[in-house]
Every structure is written in structure tokens, then in C-alpha cells.
Amino acid sequence: MAVTQPDVTVVIGAYEAMPYLVECLASVEAQTLDPARIEVVAVDDGSKDGTGEYLEEFAARAPMPVTVIRQENSGGPSGPRNVGLGKAAGRYVFFLDADDRLGPEALERMVAMADKAGTDVVLGKVEGVNRNAPKSMFNKTLERTDVYSSNIKFTLSAQKLFRRALLERHGMRFDESLWTGEDALFTLEAYLRADGISVVADHTCYYLVGRDDGKHVTKSGSYTLRFDSARALMGLIERMVPAGPKRDVLMVRPFTVTLLPQFGPVFLRDSEEVRRTKMELAKPLMDAHWNEGVAQRIKVQERLRLHLVAMQRPDLLKDVLEFVKAKREPDPVLKKQNTRLYLAYPHFRDRKAGVPDRVYLAEAREAKGYPGWRKGPAETFLRRAKRKVRRTLRRALPSRGSRPGGATAA
């Protein structure tokens, strides 16, 4: 008798996951998708708190097939996920963290969306439990989108539905040399290679749970690991996307989400040695990837901080951070018949500091919040041109039924 291929393999990497694992597995068992269409591959990564034993108990009673693999601790989430992916048989794969849980109907809705739209990746709405969750990309359900025309680049966690054929066709696995940000690298590559991406925004598919025992991976680790993550992500973007506006759009993510926090309030508390090391680690990244195309896409304060990192001026950066810490607001300076707005953060037009005026120039999306600013003729023309480009790109997206094997190649 032939064995029917499951629709989805739920891969769970678990390390010291009790008691959170109990609700995690209960959420899998409660899925409305037929249990015969689900398989679970759970990898206990050397736990000593009963995680492995509980997984085996669940496997013995679960309504769907469950494979439990117990191994020595690998030191990070990549190893267990790769082991689970290697055992997966489903048409789709979903990576579920052992301290999180699925929403009701999550797998049924995401699989249905992928099948209907013919897309390779599906994002399900995420809700935070005792922690923040990404929101901007879940304003609207989208049958088909891409990484350039939506905000999905700002959620690069691995908790998505991936078409397994896409992963196998490109030999995709999590980078086990990275101790943080490995999921961002994997997910962005999948976005770039995917024949379409869907967003399920009208139903909570995933609960992101904040642990209170300090064991959550993203809360631990040396600051140097963040630079490793930024370097890897910027390198992937450089390899897969030609220089130009599309690359700049994607570079905003590693600059603002991964790199910039290292030069935020924590920088004021860092020792001189740590500040010096951070500047040294940032320099090759700024030299290689920071440009006007990236800079103009972010807010003035963020742009100024990164510009000062690129200048290797921690002294000026500290002035800006102290200004922000004191909750002071920059004076708005209107020029060119009120069509140009500069935000006078520290060292604006300070010849000795040598920061160009353009660093303080607010783009329209930020400037529109200030009284007196108005769009200039060039700004209005540019906005119309951008809308036209976006419409052209949308029309050029592959139709639902087409499967050319990937929108972007390495």
C-alpha cells in the first residue's frame, strides 16, 4: 500500500524547552488540518530537563506520525533544524520553535494559501506573548507579493511555511557557523529564490512566546555575533542582487535591524574598548555596503548615526546619542521655499565636524510630519514615477500558475 506524502512537515528543534514544550506540542495536536496530512520531526538538542522524554511521550500518543531524534548539544538552532529538514517528507516545511506555539487552523490556512496561489513561502500573522512581534507586514492578506514591494524583509525569522521542493532544489540549509541571525540568512535567501510569497494576515498563525528564564537564543550572546550576522546577510544580498535600487532596499534591513542597535543607547554604556571594537567591526561593512541609496531610505536620526559610524567618529556619535537619550527634539530648518526640511541634530552645519547637510535632510515620508513643509515639483514628479514603477513591477510578477523555478538566481 502506497504511503501518501504529508502536506507539511513540522520541524521542531528543542533545547531545554520545558515547560513551554507542553503548549507547543498541544498546539500541533490541535491543528484542524487532517493529522494524516501532517508529520512532525522533533530534534532534542541535548536537553537535560526532560524535553527529550516529553517528546517521546508525545510521539507515542499523537494522532500524526512523529519522529523524535535525540542528539548531543550542537550549540545553536541551525543544527537541529538541518537534521529535521533532512528527515522531512512533506510538500511543505514549517519550522516551529519549541517555546512558541501555532495558532488554531494555522497549518490548514497556510497550506491552502500556498496551494491556491502557487507560492513558495507563506507568512502567517504573528502575535507576541510577553514579547514584541513584527506587525508592519501583516496589515493585509496578500496572495502573491515579493521582498521588494512589501515589508516582509523585516521579518526574517524561520517560522514560515516553505515549499520543500524550493529548499531541496537549491540545497538550502541553515548556516551552522552563525550563532545568531542564521534564520535571517535562510529566510531571505528563500524570499529571493521563491516563485512568489504569500501573507496570511487575517488569522493569527503563530504565537511568539517570551521566555522568563533567560534561555531564549535572541537574548543571549556576545555583541560580536551581531556583526557576524550583519556581515553574512549583507554578503548574501550582494551575491544575489545586482547593485542598484533593489539591493539598496534590502540593505536597509541589516543596517537598521542588525547593525544600528549596536550604536544605540547601549553604546553609551559600553567601555572604551568595546566602543573601539564595534567601530573596527563596522568599518569593513560600512566601506563595502553603505551608500546614498541606502541612506536616503531611512530616517534622519538613524542615517546620522550610521554616517558617523562610517566616518569612524565615536565622539560625534556619543553627542547624538546623549541628545536622543535626553529626549530632545531637533529644530526643523526649512529651506528652498519650504520644500527642504533639515532636522538639526547635533553637529548640523558644524564645519569642524564635517557632516554634510544631506545627512540631515528629511525625506518626504518623515518631513510630512512637520508644519510648513511642502512637496516641491521634483518631489511630486518623483513620487509619481515611483508609483508607476511599482505598478509595472506588480504586472510583471509571474502568474499564479507559473513555476519558472525562482525569481532571482545566485
Side-chain angles (χ1 to χ4, degrees):
M1 181 177 176
V3 177
T4 303
Q5 181 185 25
D7 279 341
V8 59
T9 300
V10 179
V11 174
I12 305 174
Y15 173 69
E16 303 287 310
M18 298 297 287
Y20 302 92
L21 181 63
V22 176
E23 286 195 51
C24 172
L25 295 179
S27 76
V28 176
E29 195 169 11
Q31 289 300 296
T32 53
L33 191 66
D34 186 338
R37 298 169 63 188
I38 303 171
E39 72 164 0
V40 177
V41 179
V43 182
D44 172 30
D45 198 36
S47 304
K48 301 185 184 302
D49 67 342
T51 289
E53 289 78 7
Y54 192 80
L55 286 172
E56 290 176 346
E57 290 175 19
F58 177 75
R61 61 177 167 77
M64 70 279 294
V66 179
T67 300
V68 177
I69 300 165
R70 303 183 70 173
Q71 64 182 31
E72 293 295 317
N73 182 252
S74 67
S78 292
R81 286 174 180 160
N82 286 339
V83 169
L85 181 53
K87 297 288 185 181
R91 293 190 297 125
Y92 301 101
V93 178
F94 189 92
F95 297 99
L96 171 61
D97 281 0
D99 41 13
D100 298 333
R101 58 182 183 266
L102 292 169
E105 304 177 28
L107 296 181
E108 182 177 11
R109 287 175 180 251
M110 287 189 288
V111 168
M113 175 63 88
D115 284 346
K116 177 183 178 183
T119 47
D120 286 333
V121 184
V122 179
L123 287 69
K125 184 179 179 181
V126 180
E127 184 175 319
V129 179
N130 299 322
R131 64 180 298 189
N132 293 327
K135 294 181 175 64
S136 66
M137 62 295 302
F138 295 118
N139 291 328
K140 182 181 180 181
T141 292
L142 300 170
E143 283 195 13
R144 181 171 283 265
T145 188
D146 63 84
V147 71
Y148 305 107
S149 59
S150 69
N151 268 349
I152 63 171
K153 61 181 172 293
F154 290 110
T155 175
L156 297 183
S157 62
Q159 292 82 39
K160 316 283 188 288
L161 189 78
F162 299 92
R163 190 178 296 272
R164 191 166 65 87
L166 171 77
L167 307 182
E168 295 305 323
R169 182 163 63 248
H170 297 288
M172 288 181 56
R173 294 295 186 267
F174 292 90
D175 187 338
E176 297 185 32
S177 70
L178 290 177
W179 292 76
T180 187
E182 76 297 325
D183 50 351
L185 199 66
F186 180 92
T187 302
L188 183 56
E189 181 178 351
Y191 285 171
L192 289 168
R193 295 191 183 281
D195 175 18
I197 301 159
S198 300
V199 178
V200 175
D202 56 355
H203 181 82
T204 299
C205 294
Y206 198 85
Y207 290 93
L208 192 65
V209 179
R211 295 180 63 147
D212 55 13
D213 58 7
K215 292 183 179 179
H216 200 281
V217 174
T218 58
K219 293 183 180 178
S220 60
S222 164
Y223 67 88
T224 61
L225 302 180
R226 308 296 172 178
F227 288 90
D228 292 340
S229 176
R231 186 182 307 110
L233 199 56
M234 291 175 181
L236 174 75
I237 294 169
E238 182 180 44
R239 290 191 303 274
M240 294 193 68
V241 184
K246 284 188 172 183
R247 181 190 288 182
D248 295 340
V249 165
L250 297 187
M251 283 292 181
V252 166
R253 200 278 181 189
F255 272 114
T256 59
V257 176
T258 311
L259 198 63
L260 190 63
Q262 298 305 316
F263 300 98
V266 68
F267 193 76
L268 294 174
R269 302 191 297 270
D270 289 335
S271 67
E272 286 298 327
E273 181 182 357
V274 170
R275 288 175 186 166
R276 185 169 56 253
T277 302
K278 285 184 174 181
M279 284 287 179
E280 290 171 354
L281 290 171
K283 188 177 188 310
L285 303 180
M286 305 304 296
D287 290 348
H289 305 297
W290 179 248
N291 60 45
E292 285 300 312
V294 179
Q296 70 179 16
R297 287 174 166 81
I298 61 180
K299 293 181 178 179
V300 170
Q301 186 219 115
E302 296 175 335
R303 183 195 308 149
L304 175 59
R305 285 157 56 194
L306 286 167
H307 182 85
L308 294 175
V309 173
M311 288 178 66
Q312 293 286 287
R313 292 298 301 270
D315 53 332
L316 303 186
L317 176 60
K318 286 193 291 181
D319 294 340
V320 174
L321 293 174
E322 292 285 5
F323 182 93
V324 174
K325 182 181 177 183
K327 297 184 179 179
R328 296 173 61 187
E329 292 294 328
D331 292 331
V333 179
L334 286 162
K335 297 289 183 180
K336 298 278 186 180
Q337 298 180 322
N338 294 349
T339 62
R340 288 196 170 199
L341 174 73
Y342 297 91
L343 298 181
Y345 283 99
H347 305 293
F348 176 60
R349 293 191 170 168
D350 177 350
R351 289 186 179 181
K352 188 176 179 181
V355 182
D357 282 3
R358 68 177 183 277
V359 175
Y360 297 87
L361 180 63
E363 296 294 319
R365 61 187 175 277
E366 187 174 8
K368 66 183 180 182
Y370 288 83
W373 175 84
R374 64 186 183 86
K375 290 189 184 76
E379 174 64 36
T380 304
F381 172 79
L382 186 60
R383 189 170 183 177
R384 284 199 213 102
K386 286 181 177 178
R387 280 202 299 264
K388 185 175 181 181
V389 168
R390 281 197 293 269
R391 286 196 298 269
T392 302
L393 285 173
R394 279 196 292 269
R395 285 196 295 266
L397 285 172
S399 62
R400 294 179 190 174
S402 65
R403 300 200 51 78
T408 306

Short mmCIF file of all heavy atoms in Angstrom, two decimals, residues 278-307:
data_model
loop_
_atom_site.label_atom_id
_atom_site.label_comp_id
_atom_site.label_asym_id
_atom_site.label_seq_id
_atom_site.Cartn_x
_atom_site.Cartn_y
_atom_site.Cartn_z
N LYS A 278 33.69 47.76 18.33
CA LYS A 278 32.50 47.88 17.48
C LYS A 278 32.79 48.71 16.24
O LYS A 278 32.34 48.37 15.13
CB LYS A 278 31.34 48.50 18.28
CG LYS A 278 30.68 47.54 19.27
CD LYS A 278 29.48 48.20 19.94
CE LYS A 278 28.73 47.20 20.81
NZ LYS A 278 27.54 47.82 21.46
N MET A 279 33.50 49.81 16.42
CA MET A 279 33.85 50.65 15.27
C MET A 279 34.71 49.88 14.28
O MET A 279 34.52 49.97 13.06
CB MET A 279 34.57 51.92 15.75
CG MET A 279 33.65 52.96 16.35
SD MET A 279 32.67 53.76 15.05
CE MET A 279 31.66 54.88 16.03
N GLU A 280 35.64 49.11 14.79
CA GLU A 280 36.52 48.32 13.91
C GLU A 280 35.74 47.26 13.16
O GLU A 280 35.98 47.02 11.97
CB GLU A 280 37.63 47.68 14.75
CG GLU A 280 38.65 48.67 15.30
CD GLU A 280 39.61 48.03 16.29
OE1 GLU A 280 39.40 46.83 16.64
OE2 GLU A 280 40.55 48.71 16.74
N LEU A 281 34.79 46.60 13.85
CA LEU A 281 33.99 45.56 13.20
C LEU A 281 33.05 46.15 12.15
O LEU A 281 32.75 45.53 11.13
CB LEU A 281 33.17 44.79 14.25
CG LEU A 281 33.97 43.88 15.18
CD1 LEU A 281 33.07 43.37 16.31
CD2 LEU A 281 34.57 42.71 14.42
N ALA A 282 32.57 47.37 12.42
CA ALA A 282 31.63 48.00 11.49
C ALA A 282 32.31 48.55 10.24
O ALA A 282 31.68 48.62 9.17
CB ALA A 282 30.87 49.12 12.20
N LYS A 283 33.56 48.94 10.34
CA LYS A 283 34.22 49.65 9.26
C LYS A 283 34.16 48.93 7.91
O LYS A 283 33.76 49.52 6.89
CB LYS A 283 35.66 49.99 9.62
CG LYS A 283 36.35 50.90 8.58
CD LYS A 283 37.75 51.27 8.99
CE LYS A 283 38.33 52.34 8.05
NZ LYS A 283 38.21 52.05 6.64
N PRO A 284 34.56 47.65 7.83
CA PRO A 284 34.50 46.99 6.52
C PRO A 284 33.09 46.87 5.97
O PRO A 284 32.88 46.89 4.75
CB PRO A 284 35.13 45.62 6.78
CG PRO A 284 35.07 45.42 8.25
CD PRO A 284 35.15 46.77 8.86
N LEU A 285 32.10 46.76 6.86
CA LEU A 285 30.71 46.68 6.40
C LEU A 285 30.24 48.01 5.85
O LEU A 285 29.57 48.07 4.81
CB LEU A 285 29.80 46.24 7.56
CG LEU A 285 30.15 44.91 8.24
CD1 LEU A 285 29.17 44.61 9.36
CD2 LEU A 285 30.16 43.78 7.22
N MET A 286 30.60 49.10 6.53
CA MET A 286 30.23 50.43 6.05
C MET A 286 30.95 50.73 4.74
O MET A 286 30.35 51.25 3.78
CB MET A 286 30.58 51.50 7.10
CG MET A 286 29.98 51.28 8.48
SD MET A 286 28.19 51.12 8.52
CE MET A 286 27.66 52.72 7.94
N ASP A 287 32.23 50.41 4.66
CA ASP A 287 33.00 50.68 3.45
C ASP A 287 32.42 49.95 2.23
O ASP A 287 32.39 50.48 1.13
CB ASP A 287 34.46 50.27 3.64
CG ASP A 287 35.21 51.17 4.61
OD1 ASP A 287 34.69 52.25 4.95
OD2 ASP A 287 36.32 50.79 5.03
N ALA A 288 31.97 48.71 2.47
CA ALA A 288 31.51 47.87 1.35
C ALA A 288 30.07 48.15 0.94
O ALA A 288 29.73 48.05 -0.25
CB ALA A 288 31.67 46.40 1.71
N HIS A 289 29.20 48.51 1.90
CA HIS A 289 27.77 48.47 1.60
C HIS A 289 27.00 49.76 1.89
O HIS A 289 25.86 49.89 1.44
CB HIS A 289 27.12 47.32 2.38
CG HIS A 289 27.75 45.99 2.15
ND1 HIS A 289 27.77 45.39 0.91
CD2 HIS A 289 28.41 45.15 2.99
CE1 HIS A 289 28.41 44.22 1.00
NE2 HIS A 289 28.80 44.06 2.24
N TRP A 290 27.56 50.70 2.64
CA TRP A 290 26.83 51.93 2.95
C TRP A 290 26.94 52.89 1.78
O TRP A 290 28.03 53.18 1.31
CB TRP A 290 27.41 52.54 4.22
CG TRP A 290 26.77 53.82 4.67
CD1 TRP A 290 27.33 55.07 4.69
CD2 TRP A 290 25.44 54.00 5.20
NE1 TRP A 290 26.45 56.00 5.18
CE2 TRP A 290 25.28 55.37 5.50
CE3 TRP A 290 24.38 53.11 5.42
CZ2 TRP A 290 24.10 55.88 6.03
CZ3 TRP A 290 23.21 53.63 5.96
CH2 TRP A 290 23.07 54.99 6.25
N ASN A 291 25.80 53.37 1.29
CA ASN A 291 25.81 54.32 0.17
C ASN A 291 24.58 55.21 0.25
O ASN A 291 23.72 55.05 1.12
CB ASN A 291 25.87 53.57 -1.16
CG ASN A 291 24.68 52.64 -1.36
OD1 ASN A 291 23.53 53.00 -1.10
ND2 ASN A 291 24.93 51.42 -1.84
N GLU A 292 24.50 56.17 -0.67
CA GLU A 292 23.40 57.13 -0.65
C GLU A 292 22.04 56.46 -0.88
O GLU A 292 21.03 56.88 -0.34
CB GLU A 292 23.63 58.21 -1.71
CG GLU A 292 24.68 59.22 -1.34
CD GLU A 292 24.33 59.98 -0.06
OE1 GLU A 292 23.19 60.46 0.07
OE2 GLU A 292 25.21 60.07 0.81
N GLY A 293 22.04 55.41 -1.70
CA GLY A 293 20.79 54.71 -1.96
C GLY A 293 20.19 54.09 -0.72
O GLY A 293 18.97 54.06 -0.55
N VAL A 294 21.04 53.58 0.17
CA VAL A 294 20.57 53.03 1.44
C VAL A 294 20.21 54.18 2.38
O VAL A 294 19.16 54.18 3.03
CB VAL A 294 21.64 52.12 2.08
CG1 VAL A 294 21.14 51.59 3.43
CG2 VAL A 294 21.99 50.96 1.15
N ALA A 295 21.10 55.18 2.46
CA ALA A 295 20.94 56.28 3.41
C ALA A 295 19.62 57.02 3.22
O ALA A 295 18.95 57.38 4.20
CB ALA A 295 22.11 57.25 3.28
N GLN A 296 19.22 57.25 1.97
CA GLN A 296 18.01 58.05 1.73
C GLN A 296 16.74 57.29 2.09
O GLN A 296 15.66 57.89 2.15
CB GLN A 296 17.95 58.49 0.27
CG GLN A 296 17.67 57.35 -0.70
CD GLN A 296 17.60 57.83 -2.15
OE1 GLN A 296 18.04 58.91 -2.46
NE2 GLN A 296 17.04 57.00 -3.01
N ARG A 297 16.85 56.02 2.36
CA ARG A 297 15.67 55.21 2.67
C ARG A 297 15.40 55.10 4.17
O ARG A 297 14.47 54.39 4.57
CB ARG A 297 15.81 53.81 2.06
CG ARG A 297 15.64 53.82 0.55
CD ARG A 297 15.92 52.46 -0.07
NE ARG A 297 15.43 52.40 -1.44
CZ ARG A 297 16.05 52.89 -2.50
NH1 ARG A 297 17.24 53.48 -2.35
NH2 ARG A 297 15.52 52.81 -3.71
N ILE A 298 16.20 55.74 5.00
CA ILE A 298 15.99 55.64 6.44
C ILE A 298 15.87 57.03 7.05
O ILE A 298 16.21 58.03 6.45
CB ILE A 298 17.12 54.83 7.13
CG1 ILE A 298 18.46 55.51 6.95
CG2 ILE A 298 17.15 53.41 6.58
CD1 ILE A 298 19.60 54.75 7.62
N LYS A 299 15.37 57.08 8.28
CA LYS A 299 15.13 58.35 8.96
C LYS A 299 16.43 59.07 9.27
O LYS A 299 17.49 58.46 9.38
CB LYS A 299 14.34 58.10 10.24
CG LYS A 299 12.92 57.60 10.01
CD LYS A 299 12.19 57.41 11.32
CE LYS A 299 10.75 56.96 11.09
NZ LYS A 299 10.03 56.75 12.37
N VAL A 300 16.31 60.38 9.47
CA VAL A 300 17.49 61.22 9.67
C VAL A 300 18.34 60.75 10.85
O VAL A 300 19.56 60.63 10.75
CB VAL A 300 17.08 62.70 9.86
CG1 VAL A 300 18.29 63.54 10.31
CG2 VAL A 300 16.51 63.25 8.57
N GLN A 301 17.70 60.50 11.99
CA GLN A 301 18.48 60.12 13.17
C GLN A 301 19.28 58.83 12.93
O GLN A 301 20.46 58.73 13.29
CB GLN A 301 17.58 59.95 14.39
CG GLN A 301 18.32 59.71 15.68
CD GLN A 301 17.63 58.69 16.57
OE1 GLN A 301 18.16 57.61 16.82
NE2 GLN A 301 16.45 59.03 17.06
N GLU A 302 18.63 57.83 12.30
CA GLU A 302 19.31 56.57 12.01
C GLU A 302 20.42 56.78 10.98
O GLU A 302 21.52 56.24 11.11
CB GLU A 302 18.29 55.55 11.48
CG GLU A 302 17.23 55.17 12.50
CD GLU A 302 16.17 54.26 11.92
OE1 GLU A 302 15.96 54.29 10.68
OE2 GLU A 302 15.55 53.51 12.69
N ARG A 303 20.12 57.58 9.96
CA ARG A 303 21.10 57.87 8.93
C ARG A 303 22.33 58.57 9.52
O ARG A 303 23.48 58.25 9.20
CB ARG A 303 20.47 58.75 7.86
CG ARG A 303 21.38 59.07 6.68
CD ARG A 303 20.80 60.22 5.86
NE ARG A 303 19.41 59.96 5.49
CZ ARG A 303 18.51 60.92 5.33
NH1 ARG A 303 18.83 62.19 5.52
NH2 ARG A 303 17.28 60.61 4.98
N LEU A 304 22.07 59.53 10.40
CA LEU A 304 23.17 60.28 11.03
C LEU A 304 24.06 59.36 11.86
O LEU A 304 25.30 59.42 11.77
CB LEU A 304 22.59 61.40 11.90
CG LEU A 304 23.60 62.21 12.72
CD1 LEU A 304 24.63 62.88 11.83
CD2 LEU A 304 22.86 63.25 13.58
N ARG A 305 23.45 58.49 12.63
CA ARG A 305 24.24 57.57 13.46
C ARG A 305 25.12 56.67 12.60
O ARG A 305 26.31 56.48 12.88
CB ARG A 305 23.31 56.75 14.36
CG ARG A 305 22.75 57.53 15.53
CD ARG A 305 21.46 56.94 16.08
NE ARG A 305 21.60 55.56 16.46
CZ ARG A 305 20.57 54.75 16.71
NH1 ARG A 305 19.32 55.19 16.58
NH2 ARG A 305 20.77 53.51 17.06
N LEU A 306 24.52 56.12 11.54
CA LEU A 306 25.30 55.24 10.67
C LEU A 306 26.37 56.01 9.90
O LEU A 306 27.47 55.50 9.66
CB LEU A 306 24.36 54.50 9.71
CG LEU A 306 23.53 53.38 10.36
CD1 LEU A 306 22.42 52.92 9.43
CD2 LEU A 306 24.41 52.21 10.77
N HIS A 307 26.05 57.24 9.51
CA HIS A 307 27.06 58.06 8.83
C HIS A 307 28.26 58.30 9.75
O HIS A 307 29.42 58.24 9.29
CB HIS A 307 26.45 59.39 8.40
CG HIS A 307 27.40 60.27 7.65
ND1 HIS A 307 27.61 60.16 6.29
CD2 HIS A 307 28.23 61.27 8.09
CE1 HIS A 307 28.52 61.05 5.92
NE2 HIS A 307 28.91 61.74 6.99
#
